[in-house]
Amino acid sequence: MSLPVCPKCHEDYTYEDGHLYVCPMCFHTWDAHSQAAAEEALITRDVNGNELQDGDDVIIAQDLKLGKDTIKQGTKVKGIRILEVEYKGHDLQGRVDGFGTLYLKSSVVKK
Ligand SMILES: [Zn+2]
């Protein structure tokens, strides 16, 4: 069985220590049993449950208020970036023509 890469630094030097996985590169340790759950938690999904990845183009699934402006449903978002750390509840960043780069929630976009 191959061991998973470190969820923190993504290096591939993981070894097992009892029920723990250990990364010698950044000294992160994690529970082997929670690995599957952790991987699932790392997946960002759109409003329809499709997996989103860096570089995807998506569309806005509902009208979004942005100050005085509204980003209309169906507006294209180019080249999204999945944020490793959420910013005020937003887990994506993407470029919208006319608005620039915006923080977005994966729950309001679809592929
Ligand atoms: Zn690591």
Side-chain angles (χ1 to χ4, degrees):
M1 192 185 97
S2 69
L3 296 173
V5 299
C6 173
K8 205 169 178 186
C9 70
H10 306 289
E11 292 289 355
D12 193 14
Y13 302 98
T14 305
Y15 63 88
E16 276 182 290
D17 182 10
H19 68 287
L20 291 177
Y21 286 148
V22 180
C23 171
M25 302 307 288
C26 70
F27 305 107
H28 180 56
T29 60
W30 68 104
D31 191 322
H33 300 297
S34 64
Q35 174 68 23
E39 279 176 6
E40 178 62 28
L42 287 174
I43 295 174
T44 301
R45 296 181 187 280
D46 72 4
V47 67
N48 294 323
N50 295 312
E51 187 173 342
L52 297 172
Q53 289 176 334
D54 283 348
D56 280 349
D57 291 341
V58 296
I59 60 172
I60 302 289
Q62 64 185 67
D63 286 359
L64 295 179
K65 287 261 177 241
L66 189 80
K68 279 183 281 181
D69 294 314
T70 300
I71 303 176
K72 291 275 182 215
Q73 180 181 356
T75 300
K76 199 164 188 188
V77 183
K78 293 175 192 164
I80 61 165
R81 194 165 69 82
I82 313 283
L83 301 177
E84 286 184 27
V85 179
E86 288 191 4
Y87 175 77
K88 294 182 178 173
H90 299 77
D91 51 3
L92 299 178
Q93 225 178 11
R95 201 158 44 78
V96 178
D97 282 345
F99 292 95
T101 300
L102 301 177
Y103 286 104
L104 294 163
K105 297 178 184 179
S106 55
S107 57
V108 301
V109 302
K110 60 185 176 185
K111 270 214 230 190

